[in-house]
Amino acid sequence: MSDSWKLTLPCTRAEAEAINAGAIEIDAVLMTTELVEDDLERWQLDAYSECEPDARMIAAVRALVPSAAGVAPVIVALTDADWVAMSQQGLEPIREGRFVVYTEAHPIVPGAGERGFLINAGQAFGTGHHATTSGCLAMLDTLSDRQFAKVIDLGTGTGLLAFAARHLWPDAQVTATDIDPVAIEVTRENAALNAVDGVDLIVADGARHPLITAAGPYDLIIANILAGPLIAMAPEIAAIAGPHATIVLAGLLAAQAEAVQAAYRAAGCTVEQADTRGDWTILRLTAAAEPVTGLASNDEGRENWARDI
């Protein structure tokens, strides 16, 4: 039995840019690729799924690329390959502020004053190439002149944002958590690969785990997840925040930003900055001077912590 599947159709650049994955009800991760540089007609759409594409999924994906009408989709079973790694092959190094993120396939020597992180594509989200992760790196870089004693990265993925925080605030207590044990193992491996130490790792669903609350309150909270869980977790994230703590939120589409902001305003937080990158928004907030009481988390909104690539 295959672990995952890939459905491929040709498309144009206009079709690729028009795809809004957050507004499409397709149980697959969508990736678009420029096949020929500067050729507006030679693009490709790949849909990665854990289930074999059925007629409904094929029709839904085909509807996104009218130019491929009449073209038979290529469907491949990815039995022995990790679909996340395959979808991220060939990623070029990126620079955000003082940070350089690269893979073994595209090594780079960081320049003076830069901190490089080798983060290979794999089973966890967060190579730095998605706008949410790179946006968080940029946001953290702008906070480098502040002092933080306790930092937590909720939904750490590969550990990249926790590593960046560790670099910026070497004296801080840094904690990285994820609901997925695989992600925590990946973070542990990446920490060794990048000579990062002193990051506490916790497998946890949200921010209510006893080890998380016991180590708090935190004066910097990073959560690069998805809009639904971010909204559901607003009360518990506010509860572990120290007075006037800084909160960085990402993983939300620009169209979802107002709903996320409203949830955190209700929890006593103040929105300080919104950085929109394409379809995605990164928020910086300040927590209340005192936790807002009487708020309950919405467990229904916490069910899906899946991350976009």
Side-chain angles (χ1 to χ4, degrees), residues 269-305:
C269 301
T270 302
V271 179
E272 304 288 357
Q273 182 182 354
D275 177 14
T276 299
R277 297 183 169 214
D279 292 334
W280 304 89
T281 293
I282 299 89
L283 298 174
R284 178 172 61 83
L285 308 94
T286 299
E290 305 231 348
V292 176
T293 59
L295 296 174
S297 298
N298 177 4
D299 285 332
E300 181 179 350
R302 301 159 56 93
E303 291 178 357
N304 181 12
W305 276 50

Side-chain angles (χ1 to χ4, degrees), residues 78-254:
L78 307 177
T79 305
D80 298 323
D82 174 64
W83 64 270
V84 176
M86 288 193 64
S87 69
Q88 295 186 7
Q89 285 178 355
L91 295 178
E92 298 289 342
I94 66 159
R95 282 185 162 87
E96 285 291 346
R98 72 196 66 199
F99 300 113
V100 181
V101 187
Y102 60 97
T103 65
E104 287 181 336
H106 296 276
I108 190 172
V109 177
E114 293 182 327
R115 174 55 160 105
F117 291 112
L118 170 58
I119 306 289
N120 287 312
Q123 293 176 296
F125 171 77
T127 62
H129 293 80
H130 192 280
T132 59
T133 311
S134 60
C136 285
L137 286 175
M139 188 76 74
L140 293 178
D141 192 63
T142 65
L143 298 172
S144 61
D145 59 343
R146 303 190 185 187
Q147 295 299 314
F148 297 112
K150 291 187 177 183
V151 181
I152 188 165
D153 177 19
L154 299 168
T156 194
T158 62
L160 175 58
L161 298 180
F163 301 162
R166 186 67 178 160
H167 176 73
L168 291 172
W169 301 285
D171 296 327
Q173 171 189 309
V174 179
T175 302
T177 81
D178 205 284
I179 191 173
D180 185 359
V182 172
I184 291 300
E185 186 56 37
V186 169
T187 296
R188 182 176 288 108
E189 294 170 358
N190 284 337
L193 194 61
N194 288 279
V196 176
D197 57 16
V199 175
D200 298 324
L201 305 179
I202 301 174
V203 177
D205 176 1
R208 298 183 298 192
H209 191 285
L211 291 179
I212 294 176
T213 56
Y218 303 88
D219 46 12
L220 174 60
I221 299 171
I222 309 159
N224 180 16
I225 313 173
L226 287 175
L230 286 176
I231 292 171
M233 293 167 57
E236 62 196 77
I237 287 179
I240 65 170
H244 306 295
T246 296
I247 302 173
V248 176
L249 305 178
L252 54 140
L253 292 161

